[in-house]
Amino acid sequence: MCVDERFRSPTQVKCALVIFNSGGKHMSNGTHYLRDLLRASVCLSALLMGTMASAQTAEKAASEPAEEELINVIGTRVVRDGYQSPTPVSVVGADEILRSATPNIADYVNTLPALSGSSTPRTTVAQVGAGRQGINSMNLRGIGDVRTLTLLDGRRVGGMINTGAVDVSSLPQQLITRVDVVTGGASASYGSDALSGVVNFVLDTKFTGFKGQVSGGVTTYGDNRNWQIALTYGTSFADGRGHFLLSGEVAHEDGIYDASNRSWTDAGWAYINNPTYTATNGQPRVLLRPGVGLTTSTLGGAIACSATSACSSLRGIAFGPGGTPYNLVFGPIVSDPIMAGGTLGDNNVRSGSIENSILPEQNRRNLFSRVSFDVADDWNLYAEGMYAYQDTDTRNYPPPALSYPAETAPRMVL
């Protein structure tokens, strides 16, 4: 006799198959064979029935629906690293912003590779008439800040200047916890003002407590003394269903009116278009050269005529003290209205000037407030208010040696 227990069903039904050898000592007739065959068939039937019952139980468990769980995903408030998004997203977290130690968040965001040519107080120092002086606006891919959409918590912010660009300096700096930069496909959702992309500043709308910041500084040359005070307060009410936020900032910068104490202004380094550049000659399109000055103007006045204008014969006539005319010497590289070389001392507006701003004086005041209330589990009401004020002052005055009384000042001939 041999017993095989390998036949086991998932329902733990055991069956021992008993086989008798026909040559056994006590098996002398065919009746015993029939009895043994009946036992084997009963055992096999029990094994098959157990297997079928187990298979039906598994099918029933698989067919039962799983309990549904509702997951709410709310816009960009879900922290991501940018790799799981259908469009390229650069995510700047609160830790990175804090480590940058910049007084204005725009200074740090502008270091991202996707941003190029953004407006800053330094680059807009002379744009008085355009109303852009002293602002910080984002410019993705160098296409222009009017084609870069700036959002606050996923919502549009009203423009602060005549072009509709948003001044990032007016946003509540202490409440910003993350900055998302989208550089592709944004115009399909937001329109042509997001042609180059979207910069979204995400706020900590549940901040609780009180925090403040006081900072100040001065340049190596002892000018542009500046200070900044920022305070933020947040609290909940109605058993945590409501929340109140208040954040304010006051800042001042003296500006830099006199650039003559910078050694780099004496050489007159600047960028100038290469007049011999073509698309096929392999030369650079833009050159960095010393001694760059104006060709159509001097500190004492000049006849503003280019080489291709109708008054080209009068080109180069300039005026010195007392209105004395003289010929302006052009440099070896001329790309109107500037040149490299020549009589730089007559038109280098950076050297020797008493008041010639390279950074404007700024006074800034911002206030942000937000009240929210959870009406229901899925309903939240909120109201936001923002106040921003900024005044700037920039100056471009000639040095005393070229200042003229009103009756003897030369006139510009057009």
Side-chain angles (χ1 to χ4, degrees):
M1 181 180 68
C2 120
V3 179
D4 191 349
E5 293 188 0
R6 291 174 298 173
F7 299 95
R8 295 177 181 264
S9 70
T11 55
Q12 302 301 320
V13 177
K14 291 185 179 181
C15 179
L17 182 60
V18 182
I19 303 175
F20 292 89
N21 191 339
S22 60
K25 179 178 179 180
H26 303 286
M27 301 295 105
S28 58
N29 53 56
T31 304
H32 294 83
Y33 291 111
L34 179 60
R35 183 179 60 192
D36 295 336
L37 289 174
L38 289 174
R39 289 177 179 176
S41 63
V42 171
C43 181
L44 184 60
S45 298
L47 179 65
L48 294 175
M49 291 177 64
T51 303
M52 294 176 60
S54 175
Q56 292 177 358
T57 303
E59 292 178 359
K60 181 179 179 181
S63 62
E64 292 180 355
E67 295 184 2
E68 295 184 356
E69 182 180 357
L70 181 62
I71 301 176
N72 291 327
V73 180
I74 308 175
T76 61
R77 290 174 175 80
V78 178
V79 178
R80 301 168 302 194
D81 58 5
Y83 296 104
Q84 303 299 325
S85 175
T87 56
V89 180
S90 298
V91 181
V92 180
D95 293 339
E96 298 175 69
I97 298 173
L98 185 62
R99 284 195 300 267
S100 68
T102 53
N104 195 305
I105 193 173
D107 297 332
Y108 177 68
V109 176
N110 279 326
T111 63
L112 297 178
L115 286 104
S116 174
S118 297
S119 295
T120 66
R122 181 174 299 175
T123 61
T124 59
V125 64
Q127 300 181 16
V128 180
R132 300 176 59 90
Q133 192 180 63
I135 72 165
N136 278 288
S137 61
M138 303 290 97
N139 186 357
L140 285 169
R141 299 180 177 179
I143 298 179
D145 53 10
V146 295
R147 295 296 180 227
T148 300
L149 181 61
T150 301
L151 302 178
L152 183 64
D153 259 348
R155 299 181 298 274
R156 294 175 183 264
V157 184
M160 282 84 172
I161 59 175
N162 55 2
T163 62
V166 176
D167 185 4
V168 178
S169 301
S170 64
L171 303 181
Q173 308 283 318
Q174 287 198 309
L175 287 174
I176 296 175
T177 60
R178 197 175 77 252
V179 182
D180 299 338
V181 180
V182 182
T183 56
S187 60
S189 301
Y190 295 100
S192 60
D193 52 349
L195 182 65
S196 59
V198 175
V199 181
N200 182 30
F201 294 88
V202 182
L203 301 181
D204 181 8
T205 57
K206 295 299 182 182
F207 171 77
T208 301
F210 178 83
K211 62 180 177 180
Q213 174 184 334
V214 178
S215 61
V218 64
T219 68
T220 307
Y221 302 93
D223 49 16
N224 193 36
R225 289 178 173 84
N226 58 87
W227 54 267
Q228 180 186 29
I229 301 174
L231 300 173
T232 299
Y233 174 74
T235 185
S236 59
F237 58 90
D239 296 328
R241 298 177 61 186
H243 204 84
F244 172 74
L245 286 173
L246 183 65
S247 181
E249 176 188 356
V250 180
H252 169 78
E253 291 188 31
D254 286 347
I256 302 176
Y257 291 138
D258 184 8
S260 61
N261 58 355
R262 270 81 170 164
S263 59
W264 52 268
T265 61
D266 295 333
W269 285 92
Y271 289 100
I272 182 173
N273 290 327
N274 184 0
T276 61
Y277 164 80
T278 65
T280 58
N281 64 4
Q283 295 185 16
R285 185 170 185 174
V286 178
L287 304 173
L288 178 60
R289 292 288 186 270
V292 175
L294 299 172
T295 61
T296 57
S297 178
T298 66
L299 296 176
I303 298 178
C305 293
S306 64
T308 58
S309 63
C311 60
S312 58
S313 59
L314 301 176
R315 173 179 169 82
I317 299 179
F319 301 93
T324 305
Y326 70 95
N327 291 324
L328 180 66
V329 178
F330 295 99
I333 301 177
V334 178
S335 179
D336 284 331
I338 60 177
M339 64 179 175
T343 52
L344 175 64
D346 294 345
N347 51 21
N348 182 8
V349 296
R350 294 295 188 206
S351 179
S353 177
I354 291 180
E355 292 185 334
N356 189 10
S357 301
I358 61 175
L359 195 66
E361 179 187 0
Q362 301 178 70
N363 292 285
R364 187 172 67 250
R365 298 191 293 269
N366 301 327
L367 185 64
F368 174 85
S369 181
R370 187 180 195 272
V371 179
S372 62
F373 189 82
D374 294 331
V375 180
D377 292 340
D378 299 327
W379 289 85
N380 178 271
L381 298 178
Y382 70 90
E384 289 181 356
M386 186 167 62
Y387 166 81
Y389 169 85
Q390 177 172 296
D391 70 72
T392 61
D393 176 57
T394 186
R395 304 175 187 179
N396 288 279
Y397 296 156
L402 292 179
S403 297
Y404 306 100
E407 63 273 10
T408 60
R411 297 181 178 181
M412 187 74 72
V413 180
L414 301 178

